[in-house]
Amino acid sequence: MAKEKDTFEAKSGVGFKVFSHYLRFVHNQIYYRKLHWIGTENIPEKGPLMIVSDHQNCLSDALALLMAIFHTRKKRQHRILARASVFKPIFTKPLRWLGIMPAFRLEYEGAESLSNNADTFNESENELLKDGTLIIYPEAGHQDKRWLGTFSYGYTRLLFNAAARTNFEKEFFILPSCNHYSNYFNIREDVLIKFDTPISIAPFYELYKTKPRTAQRQVNALVRKQISGLMLDITDLENYESIDYLRESEFGRKYALNNGYDPNYLPDKLLADKKLFASLEQAKEEREEDILKIYQEIRKLEQAIKGLRISDYDFNKKICLPKLLLQGLLLLILCPLFLFACVPNLFIYLSPRIITRKLTDRMFYSSINFGFYLLISIPLFYTVAFVLTWIFTKSLLIALLYLVSLPFLGIFAWNFYKVFKQWLRQLRFYFLKEREKLEEVSVLRNHLFSALNELIK
């Protein structure tokens, strides 16, 4: 009976409601700059549903998907199957509270741990039978790049088992989904959750009764195909770094604009990047030697630009000294406000490094940062700032106003820092002493971009 308290139905108290509002505020307003939910009309209002998605950013994927459900289908119950290794002592209760359950994997937790899945799978099937939502990531582990890994089709067995418990009289659906980020690691970035049309498994019931694995494989193939069509699936892993650099460079921005997409709007940028990769793949089929040679040169170009500590975008900006001086003056004027905003927000942003600096898998960074902000640094430092302000000003009103302003001051501080870094980089570009090397890099860049335009026009 103790485990039953962790179920979604038990989350109707005031504590959970307060926590869920706090979670959404930190996630939607502080951590991310903008969230995009595409295709939410495809989420059924009722009925058993399994949402299947690609997996690229650890716990951040699940949280972003939860926000889409909270926003559009608040009444939907949910369970999320997540890798058991993320259930650290400090996170276990909040994760369970949010309906996230541990799934033990052979590759990560070992064969001896697989027996622990019995309770998780039983709870998952029960959720489906109660017309709930089950969220699953069949790649098991998260990918470190924008590509779709191998799907384990075991997740389909959960759905068919639940259907069998109704004597195959109830219809169950799978909703393919994808997640996409403007940047995996930084805060104040954009995230996109996109849903396709639901897939009914009812047409596979008869096949499942005689050939269960065949039915599972066929359903899995349909789901994987839809997810690959939703996301940016860069299948050319040998040349991934070159392709990723191109889509993020000024070449990728101009390609988006030339094809009618807004590169500053993440849903548009995703479509433009998918189209660009398709064009590159077509060029590779037609003129493989030429495109592979360009990919090799792109890697050299990227290293040369990094060596100069500048950005690809700097080549296309009209950088003039009066504009730089004016920007510098404005930054200087705003510097006192930046320093004021850094207390205590600087400590909040830097505190997760206690953990992240020891990580070898960078794809955990975002999840650790968010979890640390949510559960430790924001409650701790905002409370200390509020109490100290109250003590020194002897005014509860001033302390409350300061507390309310802290998240917005933090956002200002982060944006100031980004603009300051960009200004420094442009200043370095303008006064770069290695002008001869810069000219060589510029010539190489123009040559490669022109050659690419000819190949994919």
Side-chain angles (χ1 to χ4, degrees):
M1 292 300 292
K3 286 184 179 179
E4 203 61 30
K5 292 180 181 179
D6 283 334
T7 62
F8 189 91
E9 292 86 349
K11 303 174 191 173
S12 57
V14 175
F16 177 76
K17 289 180 180 178
V18 170
F19 180 78
S20 65
H21 282 292
Y22 168 63
L23 168 66
R24 276 178 278 175
F25 177 72
V26 174
H27 186 276
N28 299 354
Q29 307 300 327
I30 298 179
Y31 195 82
Y32 287 107
R33 185 183 65 169
K34 193 166 186 179
L35 290 91
H36 303 272
W37 298 307
I38 309 294
T40 52
E41 68 278 2
N42 292 322
I43 306 175
E45 291 190 9
K46 55 186 178 179
L49 180 69
M50 178 183 282
I51 299 179
V52 179
S53 178
D54 63 319
H55 203 14
Q56 298 185 354
N57 205 4
C58 195
L59 188 60
S60 298
D61 292 345
L63 288 172
L65 189 50
L66 269 182
M67 295 304 126
I69 297 174
F70 284 155
H71 180 72
T72 55
R73 297 287 185 263
K74 292 183 175 67
K75 294 182 180 179
R76 264 208 167 273
Q77 301 178 32
H78 65 267
R79 289 284 185 279
I80 302 176
L81 264 64
R83 208 164 103 185
S85 60
V86 305
F87 281 75
K88 307 299 182 185
I90 190 173
F91 299 132
T92 298
K93 190 170 182 179
L95 291 175
R96 289 290 307 185
W97 213 23
L98 290 168
I100 302 176
M101 303 182 298
F104 295 85
R105 314 278 187 174
L106 178 66
E107 312 93 276
Y108 300 106
E109 288 81 32
E112 66 281 358
S113 69
L114 297 183
S115 60
N116 296 326
N117 282 326
D119 288 339
T120 296
F121 291 169
N122 184 60
E123 195 174 338
S124 300
E125 289 176 22
N126 288 339
E127 190 64 51
L128 290 168
L129 290 169
K130 290 182 290 187
D131 289 352
T133 305
L134 185 62
I135 300 170
I136 283 184
Y137 298 92
E139 290 166 289
H142 52 254
Q143 306 302 335
D144 63 345
K145 297 179 177 69
R146 301 175 193 273
W147 62 284
L148 191 60
T150 303
F151 271 25
S152 168
Y153 62 80
Y155 69 95
T156 60
R157 183 159 55 92
L158 274 175
L159 213 55
F160 280 113
N161 281 351
R165 287 169 63 176
T166 71
N167 292 321
F168 298 101
E169 294 176 358
K170 193 166 188 175
E171 191 171 19
F172 291 76
F173 288 91
I174 295 176
L175 181 62
S177 169
C178 85
N179 54 74
H180 188 69
Y181 300 82
S182 57
N183 184 286
Y184 288 129
F185 311 110
N186 294 336
I187 63 171
R188 303 301 299 161
E189 295 289 341
D190 295 354
V191 60
L192 179 151
I193 298 294
K194 195 171 186 178
F195 300 99
D196 209 333
T197 53
I199 298 171
S200 171
I201 67 163
F204 298 89
Y205 284 169
E206 292 305 315
L207 178 62
Y208 181 78
K209 292 173 185 177
T210 56
K211 297 180 179 179
R213 289 191 178 181
T214 302
Q216 288 177 254
R217 283 195 293 267
Q218 289 184 11
V219 170
N220 181 58
L222 281 175
V223 175
R224 193 181 186 284
K225 183 179 180 181
Q226 280 200 24
I227 293 175
S228 176
L230 289 172
M231 63 180 287
L232 177 59
D233 187 9
I234 301 178
T235 52
D236 187 357
L237 297 181
E238 288 185 10
N239 300 292
Y240 179 90
E241 284 73 17
S242 297
I243 296 166
D244 195 52
Y245 181 81
L246 280 171
R247 71 173 194 86
E248 290 280 28
S249 70
E250 188 65 23
F251 180 87
R253 288 179 60 83
K254 285 186 175 179
Y255 183 88
L257 289 169
N258 291 337
N259 284 275
Y261 299 108
D262 180 358
N264 298 314
Y265 179 62
L266 189 59
D268 266 17
K269 187 67 167 70
L270 171 59
L271 294 175
D273 289 347
K274 285 169 61 65
K275 187 177 179 68
L276 172 60
F277 176 61
S279 298
L280 291 170
E281 285 294 276
Q282 184 178 347
K284 187 179 175 184
E285 287 182 11
E286 297 170 355
R287 297 173 61 179
E288 183 176 8
E289 186 177 340
D290 292 337
I291 200 76
L292 291 180
K293 186 177 180 181
I294 288 176
Y295 284 158
Q296 289 180 349
E297 293 299 309
I298 288 292
R299 283 193 283 271
K300 294 178 183 177
L301 173 67
E302 182 182 8
Q303 291 305 313
I305 290 175
K306 281 184 179 178
L308 293 172
R309 296 171 61 204
I310 55 177
S311 165
D312 181 84
Y313 294 119
D314 296 328
F315 287 93
N316 287 80
K317 285 185 176 291
K318 293 182 179 179
I319 302 174
C320 60
L321 187 58
K323 185 178 178 181
L324 284 174
L325 292 175
L326 185 61
Q327 289 174 340
L329 179 61
L330 183 59
L331 288 168
L332 185 62
I333 292 170
L334 291 174
C335 190
L337 180 58
F338 166 72
L339 295 175
F340 176 73
C342 281
V343 182
N345 288 297
L346 180 64
F347 302 103
I348 290 171
Y349 293 148
L350 294 180
S351 54
R353 293 190 181 182
I354 299 169
I355 300 174
T356 56
R357 66 184 179 183
K358 299 176 183 178
L359 293 177
T360 54
D361 186 348
R362 291 188 70 203
M363 304 315 291
F364 278 106
Y365 281 19
S366 179
S367 301
I368 295 296
N369 285 338
F370 180 79
F372 211 93
Y373 297 156
L374 182 78
L375 301 175
I376 301 175
S377 57
I378 288 179
L380 173 62
F381 290 109
Y382 279 15
T383 300
V384 170
F386 169 73
V387 171
L388 289 178
T389 304
W390 192 1
I391 290 172
F392 285 111
T393 64
K394 295 185 171 68
S395 171
L396 177 60
L397 179 60
I398 292 175
L400 284 172
L401 289 173
Y402 180 53
L403 179 64
V404 171
S405 70
L406 281 174
F408 305 101
L409 287 171
I411 292 170
F412 167 78
W414 181 259
N415 290 335
F416 182 96
Y417 171 70
K418 285 180 67 176
V419 171
F420 178 69
K421 280 183 65 178
Q422 183 182 22
W423 178 77
L424 277 181
R425 197 186 65 238
Q426 291 178 0
L427 198 67
R428 189 183 304 115
F429 187 94
Y430 186 85
F431 288 106
L432 195 64
K433 294 180 179 179
E434 302 173 74
R435 304 308 295 184
E436 193 172 313
K437 187 172 182 180
L438 179 63
E439 184 62 29
E440 290 176 5
V441 171
S442 181
V443 169
L444 174 62
R445 177 179 176 276
N446 292 336
H447 168 71
L448 291 175
F449 287 1
S450 295
L452 270 174
N453 277 325
E454 286 298 315
L455 281 174
I456 66 174
K457 67 181 179 180

